[in-house]
Amino acid sequence: MEKYKTVFVALDGSEHSERALTNAIDFAERFGSTLVLAHILDMQYFTTAWLEGPELQKGDLDPETGEPKSDLLSLGDYQRRQSRKIIQNAKSRVPEGVPYRVAFEVGSPRKDLLKMTKTFNADIVFIGSHGKGTLTEMVMGSVSAYLVEHAPMPVMVVK
Amino acid sequence: MGKIKTILVPTDGSDDARLALAHACNIAKQYDATLVLAHIMHLEYYGGKFAGERFDVLMQAKIEEMPADPVEDAPAEGMNVGMIEEAKLLLRNEQELVPEGVTTRLFWALGDPRADVLTVAKEVDANVIVMGSRGLGALRGALVGSVSRYVMNNSEIPVLIVK
């Protein structure tokens, strides 16, 4: 407990998680810790998207980028793209001299995030108080509350 | 939270609260922050103890700061002398665990342990609240105590729940 060697921050692109990242970066700088930028792509979105992805027709591709037009992206593609953005953004915000690792997985934001904190030997976890406001969150309570209950290490819930 | 200047640690003297205090001291040293220890007694719980003797006098909810560096603690006044002395003693005991060089403020309160944590946090303009996952009042089997849960859900500032 003396030193927080590994500062783990859970990211989902929400405002609260942005603030969690700001605080985690400051904390890691003070304690000379390694940051773990963690993001879980919710498996739920992904599987439904696999089943229901739209079939592309001629003319559906954007001539400039060669990718499907944004309104025709399957939910899965959209999620993958969001995930990339979230991680990219987090990486770009880490100041020079602060070592970091990226943890990414498709799975359950609750269980797999909890597993990740253990895998990376987190000494402290930073997480936003509320996530993206998914249906699961309404039914099951926030991911932060789940982590506070089940994680073996201190959890900083950031508003 | 940004830069941490003031850290609030609600304490009931339990092992969980001491663990929170240890973490808070660590952070306070690194951030050169002020540590605020608060012991909040439940008005209803203690009220019953005195209702028999002096039921005509209502016990008032209050929050008071005590000097962190006293020559001698001033004797408590009023009907609830015993419990206030106990609270002060508890705070002094916890204060001894704070390493030298960390500026400390001490508060005791009579009221609602959940809501008053947030009241004290506002009063001292805390940047973060550090607390154990469960205190003395927690039910057996509950993973997170009700006070911690309440504070976590209702605080406007970051809350660090230690394990």
Side-chain angles (χ1 to χ4, degrees):
Chain A
M1 198 210 72
E2 279 292 295
K3 289 238 167 70
Y4 305 93
K5 279 189 200 142
T6 307
V7 175
F8 184 103
V9 53
L11 306 161
D12 71 351
S14 67
E15 254 179 67
H16 296 281
S17 106
E18 277 292 294
R19 281 198 283 275
L21 177 60
T22 309
N23 289 323
I25 289 173
D26 189 46
F27 200 87
E29 270 187 307
R30 297 261 172 178
F31 284 91
S33 338
T34 300
L35 267 176
V36 177
L37 311 172
H39 175 62
I40 303 275
L41 172 42
D42 197 335
M43 171 93 105
Q44 269 186 334
Y45 284 119
F46 215 60
T47 42
T48 5
W50 273 65
L51 295 172
E52 296 173 5
E55 283 180 33
L56 293 177
Q57 308 288 331
K58 248 188 193 173
D60 284 349
L61 293 181
D62 191 317
E64 281 181 25
T65 62
E67 285 191 49
K69 288 175 182 166
S70 59
D71 56 334
L72 290 168
L73 281 176
S74 74
L75 201 46
D77 287 333
Y78 176 76
Q79 286 300 331
R80 257 189 297 244
R81 186 179 278 189
Q82 279 305 100
S83 294
R84 267 201 297 272
K85 251 191 223 166
I86 289 166
I87 294 168
Q88 218 62 52
N89 166 55
K91 275 163 120 180
S92 72
R93 289 190 48 200
V94 180
E96 248 178 79
V98 176
Y100 69 86
R101 300 165 77 184
V102 173
F104 172 67
E105 204 169 299
V106 180
S108 144
R110 287 179 174 66
K111 293 192 175 153
D112 288 313
L113 202 57
L114 179 63
K115 226 188 271 172
M116 255 182 196
T117 61
K118 294 175 191 163
T119 310
F120 281 82
N121 273 326
D123 296 304
I124 185 168
V125 174
F126 282 69
I127 185 166
S129 56
H130 294 84
K132 296 285 272 180
T134 57
L135 184 64
T136 326
E137 189 150 293
M138 281 173 67
V139 179
M140 309 257 301
S142 59
V143 180
S144 57
Y146 180 87
L147 269 194
V148 164
E149 285 204 2
H150 298 281
M153 67 289 284
V155 178
M156 180 81 85
V157 180
V158 179
K159 299 287 159 160
Chain B
M1 160 166 87
K3 300 282 169 281
I4 301 176
K5 284 186 196 138
T6 307
I7 304 171
L8 172 61
V9 183
T11 180
D12 57 3
S14 65
D15 289 347
D16 260 30
R18 291 212 169 152
L19 185 58
L21 180 58
H23 277 277
C25 289
N26 243 348
I27 298 170
K29 268 193 274 178
Q30 206 61 238
Y31 278 82
D32 198 17
T34 300
L35 193 69
V36 180
L37 276 167
H39 176 55
I40 298 154
M41 293 167 286
H42 209 304
L43 180 59
E44 286 169 32
Y45 181 73
Y46 282 97
K49 213 159 136 187
F50 294 90
E53 298 165 28
R54 298 275 301 273
F55 58 88
D56 54 324
V57 186
L58 280 174
M59 293 199 357
Q60 300 283 314
K62 58 177 139 191
I63 297 175
E64 267 187 36
E65 178 163 13
M66 59 190 264
D69 196 18
V71 183
E72 214 170 285
D73 284 331
E77 283 178 23
M79 56 177 293
N80 36 14
V81 170
M83 58 188 289
I84 294 174
E85 293 297 347
E86 266 177 48
K88 286 183 170 177
L89 201 60
L90 186 146
L91 281 170
R92 288 278 172 241
N93 280 339
E94 300 306 303
Q95 188 189 10
E96 275 177 25
L97 303 171
V98 179
E100 257 179 65
V102 177
T103 314
T104 311
R105 293 176 73 183
L106 306 170
F107 282 82
W108 62 265
L110 194 55
D112 176 3
R114 304 167 171 211
D116 283 348
V117 171
L118 302 181
T119 314
V120 176
K122 274 229 176 79
E123 181 152 339
V124 300
D125 200 13
N127 307 107
V128 60
I129 300 171
V130 183
M131 59 195 304
S133 53
R134 43 185 302 192
L136 289 173
L139 291 169
R140 254 164 211 256
L143 289 169
V144 177
S146 66
V147 178
S148 304
R149 188 183 296 275
Y150 177 91
V151 171
M152 196 175 81
N153 289 338
N154 293 284
S155 156
E156 286 166 16
I157 56 173
V159 179
L160 177 60
I161 307 275
V162 307
K163 298 284 181 76

